[in-house]
Amino acid sequence: MSERIQISAQVPAEMDGDRLDQVAARLFPDYSRSRLQGWIKKGELLVDGGQLRPRDKVEEGMELAIDTEPEEVVGWKAQDIALDILHEDEHIIVLNKPAGLVVHPGAGHAEGTLVNALLAHAPEMAQLPRGGIVHRLDMETSGIMVAAKSILAHGDLVAQLQERTVKREYSAVCIGVMTGGGTVNEPIGRHPKQRKKMAVLAAGGKPAITHYRVAKRFGHHTSIAVNLETGRTHQIRVHMAHRHYPLVGDPTYGGRPRIPKGASEELVQALRGFPRQALHARALGLFHPETGEEVNFDCPLPEDMKGLLATLEREDPVVAGDDTLY
């Protein structure tokens, strides 16, 4: 890549008097502290145009500016894994992630992830923080994602996500019959006892807002469309379980499969055999990082969710007088 990394940020009041390397790590979280310290020492991260030492203190209002040549930021292996690409240009790639594919290498998933596939498809993405990933989907959630292919796009997409201008719509199937849509505005944080789970926390959670509307009611289930204002880990799954409408197939937040009394064998098999949470990222809207034009992308339901909905239509019908709601 020929473009340089050129980003800047001002020291906020709450960081007044802190060490430069500590402030840089908080202002530029996409880069490791060791990399930031290296840029400080080489004069590629300046403060108000001058070079300081990593341990020097900075004051409110000072400008930290990075200007450096890109280099490999991630060291993960490139792997030839098939990608379902919906759109691609020199700045962004939009794709349909299948259920079961981990987005980012980590503990227990060092290889075989979406990032490994992207690095094989576009090796220049190794020069971007997190391999160009700016948002994630859970391993067992399918659907549409966008990743950055350029430094310009990475910074712009991160800013759009922080400013909540990215539109994200999901399709989900919940246990229980909803009377209507609504909004869940409840903070989410790490579960105090089960560290692999998230939970609604009255104190200590981060703001989380989920809007949902009923798409189709069944006898014992509801198909919903969900729009996110925020993007907390497991947000839809946590919020729907908090409202007592957990997602079909979600053992983490929904527990064991709930079988309606008198269910047919086909419905029993469909509910017990659904292999993941019934959640699909269906649509994505954003402003193109280069042109500023609003662009929108759609991703059709995968076959497993189509099959689930078809079974519910046949085997879990709505009561007389109840029908699809929009």
Side-chain angles (χ1 to χ4, degrees):
M1 290 169 62
S2 58
E3 59 183 317
R4 297 177 66 83
I5 299 174
Q6 294 177 311
I7 52 178
S8 63
Q10 284 194 326
V11 178
E14 63 268 22
M15 298 183 196
D16 182 68
D18 291 346
R19 286 173 53 120
L20 170 58
D21 56 353
Q22 295 173 340
V23 172
R26 293 168 66 184
L27 293 180
F28 308 114
D30 287 329
Y31 301 96
S32 68
R33 181 168 295 189
S34 62
R35 186 174 297 276
L36 291 166
Q37 289 176 334
W39 288 340
I40 293 170
K41 292 173 182 177
K42 289 191 294 183
E44 295 174 335
L45 194 166
L46 301 176
V47 180
D48 284 346
Q51 185 173 359
L52 299 180
R53 296 168 299 180
R55 67 174 182 271
D56 287 342
K57 305 295 178 64
V58 294
E59 299 176 358
E60 177 187 357
M62 286 182 166
E63 182 181 67
L64 275 60
I66 297 172
D67 186 354
T68 184
E69 288 287 348
E71 56 186 288
E72 186 172 285
V73 174
V74 299
W76 298 301
K77 180 191 297 186
Q79 292 180 292
D80 187 12
I81 301 170
L83 292 171
D84 183 1
I85 298 172
L86 306 175
H87 169 85
E88 183 175 13
D89 57 45
E90 63 178 312
H91 293 288
I92 63 173
I93 181 168
V94 181
L95 49 93
N96 176 17
K97 186 193 84 68
L101 181 64
V102 175
V103 169
H104 207 276
H109 298 282
E111 299 180 2
T113 73
L114 177 60
V115 167
N116 297 114
L118 287 171
L119 294 180
H121 176 76
E124 67 271 20
M125 294 175 73
Q127 299 170 337
L128 298 171
R130 298 185 177 92
I133 298 297
V134 293
H135 70 119
R136 304 188 191 189
L137 294 177
D138 297 339
M139 180 176 75
E140 297 297 348
T141 297
S142 59
I144 198 165
M145 287 187 61
V146 62
K149 289 183 63 183
S150 67
I151 292 169
L152 178 151
H154 185 273
D156 189 83
L157 291 174
V158 168
Q160 289 188 54
L161 287 161
Q162 291 175 342
E163 294 166 4
R164 304 182 184 180
T165 59
V166 176
K167 301 174 184 176
R168 289 171 287 176
E169 182 169 314
Y170 293 73
S171 294
V173 182
C174 298
I175 299 169
V177 182
M178 295 184 182
T179 57
T183 295
V184 186
N185 186 350
E186 298 286 353
I188 290 176
R190 188 67 58 183
H191 194 287
K193 295 181 180 179
Q194 298 171 277
R195 303 305 294 171
K196 292 185 178 182
K197 294 179 62 174
M198 308 301 288
V200 168
L201 300 178
K206 294 181 178 179
I209 303 174
T210 303
H211 305 285
Y212 64 95
R213 61 181 175 84
V214 173
K216 176 76 177 181
R217 282 200 298 231
F218 301 97
H220 301 85
H221 301 85
T222 309
S223 171
I224 61 172
V226 184
N227 291 91
L228 293 182
E229 275 198 36
T230 55
R232 306 302 174 203
T233 301
H234 300 175
Q235 179 172 321
I236 295 173
R237 299 163 64 191
V238 171
H239 272 171
M240 290 300 100
H242 180 71
R243 282 286 171 94
H244 306 294
Y245 295 107
L247 303 192
V248 169
D250 188 351
T252 303
Y253 299 103
R256 298 169 59 185
R258 302 181 194 178
I259 308 301
K261 179 181 282 189
S264 68
E265 185 60 28
E266 185 178 356
L267 180 57
V268 171
Q269 292 301 319
L271 295 174
R272 286 183 175 166
F274 198 77
R276 64 182 183 99
Q277 62 262 11
L279 182 61
H280 176 74
R282 192 194 65 76
L284 181 72
L286 53 90
F287 296 99
H288 193 280
E290 181 183 37
T291 66
E293 177 186 0
E294 184 175 358
V295 289
N296 294 280
F297 305 97
D298 292 288
C299 187
L301 283 176
E303 291 304 316
D304 61 350
M305 285 189 64
K306 286 182 181 178
L308 174 64
L309 289 169
T311 300
L312 292 175
E313 186 77 43
R314 291 191 308 269
E315 306 297 326
D316 187 30
V318 296
V319 297
D322 212 356
D323 207 346
T324 304
L325 301 179
Y326 294 97

